[in-house]
Amino acid sequence: MGAVFTPVFYIFSIVAVASAIIVCGYEWVTVITAMFLIFLVACAAADINKGIVPDMMCVLIAVLALIRFFTSPVTTQSLISCLCGAVVLSVPMLIAALLIKNSFGGGDIKMMAAAGLFLGLDKTIIAGLIAFLIAGFYGVYLLFTKKRGAKEKVKLAPYLALGCAFSELFGLFFLEVLHTFI
């Protein structure tokens, strides 16, 4: 866990809490959202520093998802959304990891399962779209500038955390805008 608590972690944690307050206001949901964002920052910081996503952070995100789920009105639709969110990205990532050597790390898969449980189906899809687009564009940039080779590993947790954070804070707005154009 020493890989988590770096100056970068503290700076981005402050940004996460401020973002939660700005977007959610001063409500109970703000505390849950801020904690989720801090756990995502911890996952990203650990992956950047040590190349791992701590299991404890994934467990904390999953526990936070359960707290959020049981403190809001429980419906069959919300239950299905949370369960589908937990598998919609993590299962394809797991299959890819089993079929293609070094495609995804176990920590990335566990992080997305826990975050998907927290976000629900729609927001998880948005999070994955954003994360993989940004990681892909950055990977192409690194290849073209010859800063990295095609076989080198990319630490994915920071991109996944960014996608999840964006989706949690702005996912519903993003869906509304999307629905106006479709």
Side-chain angles (χ1 to χ4, degrees):
M1 290 292 279
V4 173
F5 303 111
T6 63
V8 170
F9 167 78
Y10 292 113
I11 291 167
F12 280 101
S13 292
I14 292 168
V15 171
V17 172
S19 299
I21 292 169
I22 291 168
V23 172
C24 302
Y26 293 100
E27 298 179 22
W28 166 249
V29 70
T30 307
V31 174
I32 300 283
T33 300
M35 290 175 67
F36 176 63
L37 297 176
I38 289 170
F39 295 155
L40 290 174
V41 168
C43 290
D47 196 28
I48 289 168
N49 292 325
K50 296 287 184 182
I52 58 156
V53 175
D55 289 342
M56 183 53 70
M57 289 297 123
C58 298
V59 169
L60 290 172
I61 291 171
V63 168
L64 198 59
L66 293 174
I67 291 169
R68 178 166 141 165
F69 181 77
F70 288 114
T71 58
S72 62
V74 177
T75 64
T76 304
Q77 184 178 359
S78 65
L79 175 63
I80 291 170
S81 177
C82 289
L83 294 176
C84 288
V87 299
V88 71
L89 288 180
S90 61
V91 169
M93 288 170 69
L94 175 62
I95 292 169
L98 294 173
L99 296 176
I100 304 166
K101 187 179 178 183
N102 294 327
S103 58
F104 293 103
D108 298 329
I109 297 167
K110 290 181 273 188
M111 180 180 132
M112 278 315 300
L117 187 65
F118 185 89
L119 294 170
L121 180 60
D122 293 342
K123 286 183 176 181
T124 302
I125 292 170
I126 293 169
L129 177 69
I130 291 168
F132 290 118
L133 280 174
I134 293 172
F137 282 128
Y138 186 64
V140 168
Y141 164 76
L142 290 176
L143 287 174
F144 278 130
T145 59
K146 300 194 190 287
K147 293 185 180 185
R148 286 222 174 146
K151 298 284 183 183
E152 291 186 52
K153 281 184 150 184
V154 174
K155 296 177 181 183
L156 195 57
Y159 303 104
L160 294 172
L162 181 63
C164 290
F166 176 86
S167 187
E168 173 59 18
L169 294 172
F170 307 111
L172 294 177
F173 175 74
F174 183 79
L175 284 173
E176 288 176 18
V177 169
L178 189 64
H179 280 95
T180 60
F181 291 111
I182 295 177

